Amino acid sequence: MTPLSTVYSYHQRTKHHFDRSARSLGYMDWANQPNPFRNYLGANETQLELDREPPPLAYDRIYEPNAAPPATVDLGSVADLFRYSLALTAWKQAGASRWALRVNPSSGNLHPTEAYVLLESTACEEGSPTLYHYVSETHCLQRRASFSQEIWNSLMRDMPAGSFLVGLSSVIWREAWKYGERAFRYCQHDMGHAVAALRLSAALCGWQLKLVSTWSTDHVAALLGLDRQEEFLVEEWEEPELLAVVMPNPAGVKVAGKLPPPLDETIEEIREVQWYGQPNRLSREHVAWPVIDEVAAATRFPQEVLLDTASRELVYHRQSSGSSRDVDARKIIHQRRSCLALDGRSTVSRDVFLQIVARTLPGPHPPWDALYWPTTIHLALFVHRVDGVAPGLYLLVRNPGKKDLLKQAMRETFAWQTPSGVPSGFPLYLLIESDCRNAARALSCHQDIAADGFFSLGMIAEFAEPIRQHGAWFYRNLFWEAGIIGQVLYLEAEAAGVRSTGIGCYFDDPVHEVLGLVDNQFQSLYHFTVGVPLEDHRLQTQPPYFDAE
Ligand SMILES: Cc1cc2nc3c(=O)[nH]c(=O)nc-3n(C[C@H](O)[C@H](O)[C@H](O)COP(=O)(O)O)c2cc1C
């Protein structure tokens, strides 16, 4: 099998069908539930401050380029970066069960994403560039390795002063424990949510954050110490996902995303340094899912690929509104929550609906400015309860250049009308007027939340062609983009005083059938819903950290 055929076949076999779900264990093996927190036992720990009060910034402004003055890079501002991206935000309790929730959401709250940061110098490791693992459970950094100044200079050559690196990985076993073969998809969605959370948190610090397109997956593995196979339990390996460069210096924006590939000898030196800490064991027993190992291997970013970021056809849209709502971005980020049920009756105004949807349009501003590939995802919206907008199926074309392609691929009978009251040039089209609550519920694995809100949606990705064009590795990027859109929808819903939920469980091909999509030119990759939540008052809420809030 080639990497491409592995990806197409993995995607096909992990579809949910009305009469058959993707393969999983089929029951919950509670005795082996993975620990959601990775710890490097024996590594030095640095507690990050919990009682910091960074200056407020109006929520809407996080989507503007350079909205905040750049903070100095030190342990305090790095604490802020993580506190508003990947930290805990609450503990919940129901009876004897207690579980943590975080800034970033996660399929099944299983949290496969792990984060690392490479800093040049900090108060705890002065003068010695150090790689740390971030532990959300305690909001602390664990030292994994310290590098020489020569290694640092080599890695960061051509980068503006003050820059540093953040790396992310997935412990795929955490998702596979519950979801079996489909778990690889969910890890990639979660990655996208984490990227958006980090990008927006960096914006609060006044920093740029760009995903790096020049390092292979093997390079990332070496830098993060994830290729040290003898240290990790093979079933609990951390799949290296991506590297991001954070640039506090606005003058550095010109070289954005152009972190040079590492030199082979630098990678060799990194492998030779002293590494600290032993990864904790997450489960007693494991179940193997060989197709996940295969798709992970097939989608690793190869050494020889250097994506030409200059040629990306990014399409820029105006920002949705000129004015900023008077609410602190950090408050919205920390209160983000998934709704468990929606009320099935409230409506939303057309303006608020358009504002939420417009926020997902890409532009040269956070979070989209973190990406190095062209927009590939469009939104098929099931509108249920929006005042002034007829219930029905709509399409938001996030790259207007792809409208004709979508039109050709979808049902011939679709109207493609601009709905009344929608500003001219806004790429939203009515496909068919209809009450689609039952269809939306059925397509999202019969989940009521898909029918009981203002609207729900399927993220329709350009699929076969971009994967063929860029390479099998691009399969991951499609899900990352979907997760980034999801994170924006979560925050927009909170800012509008309502709530949303990501929906990873949906019936793939029935969604395609509704849209008239017959092959894998387009595929639905993620669903979402937005509406007025019903609270579950049986759940108790406790603060995220012992001495915070
Ligand atoms: C990729 C992804 C898929 C999800 N799929 C579903 C779903 O199908 N149904 C659902 O009710 N919640 C779904 N969720 C919501 C998670 O259950 C939720 O994020 C998690 O329980 C943590 O809660 P929080 O979002 O409030 O932090 C999904 C979340 C993500 C990120």
Side-chain angles (χ1 to χ4, degrees):
M1 296 255 290
T2 62
L4 270 190
S5 60
T6 303
V7 161
Y8 294 148
S9 128
Y10 171 80
H11 191 70
Q12 191 59 32
R13 71 180 279 153
T14 55
K15 287 179 172 174
H16 285 328
H17 302 270
F18 277 125
D19 58 351
R20 168 170 54 91
S21 293
R23 275 193 67 206
S24 68
L25 208 52
Y27 63 92
M28 300 293 280
D29 178 12
W30 292 115
N32 286 302
Q33 183 176 16
N35 183 340
F37 301 113
R38 163 125 286 160
N39 259 295
Y40 285 95
L41 306 172
N44 267 355
E45 287 194 346
T46 304
Q47 180 62 54
L48 296 173
E49 278 178 75
L50 283 162
D51 55 358
R52 291 175 54 82
E53 287 186 21
L57 186 74
Y59 165 73
D60 293 290
R61 300 207 57 209
I62 52 176
Y63 300 100
E64 293 173 16
N66 308 317
T72 310
V73 178
D74 56 25
L75 280 178
S77 51
V78 170
D80 293 341
L81 176 69
F82 285 120
R83 188 79 202 276
Y84 297 97
S85 58
L86 303 176
L88 303 191
T89 48
W91 282 89
K92 293 276 175 182
Q93 185 156 5
S97 318
R98 196 166 173 265
W99 62 97
L101 296 172
R102 308 189 194 186
V103 175
N104 54 321
S106 170
S107 186
N109 199 30
L110 298 166
H111 288 285
T113 308
E114 294 292 336
Y116 297 83
V117 59
L118 175 63
L119 298 168
E120 182 174 14
S121 178
T122 60
C124 50
E125 305 292 339
E126 224 164 324
S128 142
T130 297
L131 178 82
Y132 301 92
H133 169 242
Y134 174 68
V135 189
S136 60
E137 182 181 21
T138 47
H139 193 50
C140 80
L141 296 179
Q142 294 179 322
R143 176 165 68 144
R144 277 293 275 150
S146 290
F147 304 142
S148 65
Q149 199 62 43
E150 289 70 38
I151 292 181
W152 171 268
N153 292 343
S154 162
L155 294 177
M156 304 300 283
R157 63 192 190 281
D158 304 338
M159 294 314 291
S163 303
F164 63 94
L165 301 178
V166 172
L168 298 180
S169 66
S170 298
V171 181
I172 301 179
W173 162 244
R174 288 201 186 111
E175 288 284 330
W177 165 74
K178 179 170 177 186
Y179 295 113
E181 292 190 352
R182 200 166 157 106
F184 183 76
R185 297 183 180 206
Y186 296 150
C187 291
Q188 305 307 321
H189 287 123
D190 280 17
M191 195 51 46
H193 280 284
V195 166
L198 279 162
R199 175 61 193 110
L200 295 173
S201 185
L204 283 167
C205 296
W207 300 340
Q208 303 290 319
L209 182 147
K210 305 271 178 192
L211 299 187
V212 171
S213 62
T214 48
W215 282 48
S216 69
T217 304
D218 286 349
H219 291 148
V220 178
L223 178 72
L224 306 184
L226 303 178
D227 59 354
R228 306 177 61 72
Q229 278 150 7
E230 67 287 359
E231 290 177 9
F232 290 85
L233 207 60
V234 67
E235 299 89 343
E236 296 179 357
W237 101 99
E238 283 186 41
E239 175 63 21
E241 299 280 4
L242 57 85
L243 196 62
V245 57
V246 183
M247 291 171 289
N249 180 350
V253 177
K254 289 194 192 72
V255 290
K258 286 295 181 191
L259 183 77
L263 304 175
D264 288 345
E265 57 264 31
T266 310
I267 290 292
E268 275 319 306
E269 285 174 54
I270 286 173
R271 290 199 172 110
E272 297 306 318
V273 302
Q274 160 104 50
W275 287 77
Y276 303 98
Q278 180 65 36
N280 59 336
R281 188 179 182 120
L282 306 176
S283 294
R284 203 160 35 85
E285 288 171 18
H286 307 84
V287 176
W289 297 102
V291 294
I292 291 188
D293 304 352
E294 285 159 25
V295 74
T299 54
R300 287 186 188 127
F301 194 68
Q303 185 103 37
E304 66 273 16
V305 173
L306 283 183
L307 202 74
D308 177 8
T309 49
S311 72
R312 63 186 190 164
E313 347 132 33
L314 251 192
V315 182
Y316 297 134
H317 283 274
R318 65 180 172 74
Q319 302 258 5
S320 53
S321 86
S323 59
S324 297
R325 285 166 282 190
D326 186 20
V327 51
D328 185 15
R330 290 185 177 85
K331 180 172 179 295
I332 297 295
I333 286 171
H334 267 190
Q335 80 180 39
R336 183 211 63 77
R337 206 62 311 133
S338 291
C339 58
L340 304 173
L342 294 169
D343 75 354
R345 56 189 172 79
S346 301
T347 62
V348 71
S349 72
R350 179 172 57 206
D351 284 354
V352 171
F353 165 67
L354 290 178
Q355 173 154 31
I356 294 174
V357 168
R359 209 49 113 189
T360 70
L361 294 174
H365 54 80
W368 317 108
D369 60 356
L371 310 189
Y372 54 81
W373 62 90
T375 293
T376 50
I377 292 184
H378 311 278
L379 306 185
L381 295 139
F382 301 95
V383 172
H384 308 313
R385 296 175 189 85
V386 179
D387 296 329
V389 179
L393 178 60
Y394 292 75
L395 197 75
L396 182 78
V397 182
R398 289 181 67 253
N399 176 349
K402 297 296 165 69
K403 183 181 168 193
D404 288 344
L405 209 62
L406 285 155
K407 222 170 166 173
Q408 281 160 20
M410 291 187 169
R411 276 183 198 282
E412 270 178 28
T413 50
F414 283 160
W416 289 92
Q417 270 169 13
T418 300
S420 65
V422 168
S424 83
F426 191 82
L428 180 71
Y429 302 94
L430 168 68
L431 301 182
I432 185 164
E433 236 183 89
S434 151
D435 176 350
C436 34
R437 287 175 295 177
N438 287 339
R441 179 193 297 108
L443 292 172
S444 286
C445 292
H446 308 293
Q447 299 185 74
D448 289 334
I449 49 173
D452 288 346
F454 309 140
F455 64 96
S456 60
L457 60 90
M459 298 190 196
I460 308 301
E462 297 159 33
F463 189 79
E465 179 53 24
I467 293 176
R468 194 199 53 72
Q469 187 196 342
H470 298 304
W473 57 270
F474 198 70
Y475 184 58
R476 297 192 194 195
N477 297 51
L478 293 177
F479 286 98
W480 298 352
E481 188 178 339
I484 294 168
I485 294 170
Q487 191 67 10
V488 167
L489 286 169
Y490 264 121
L491 297 179
E492 275 298 301
E494 292 294 338
V498 296
R499 196 142 271 182
S500 64
T501 294
I503 300 181
C505 187
Y506 58 89
F507 298 118
D508 302 68
D509 285 338
V511 177
H512 304 144
E513 203 179 315
V514 164
L515 294 167
L517 301 169
V518 290
D519 54 21
N520 69 352
Q521 184 185 10
F522 293 95
Q523 294 282 285
S524 187
L525 293 191
Y526 193 16
H527 284 202
F528 236 84
T529 188
V530 180
V532 171
L534 294 176
E535 298 301 336
D536 184 344
H537 296 291
R538 291 166 303 178
L539 295 186
Q540 282 178 293
T541 304
Q542 291 145 11
Y545 300 104
F546 186 65
D547 51 355
E549 268 131 86

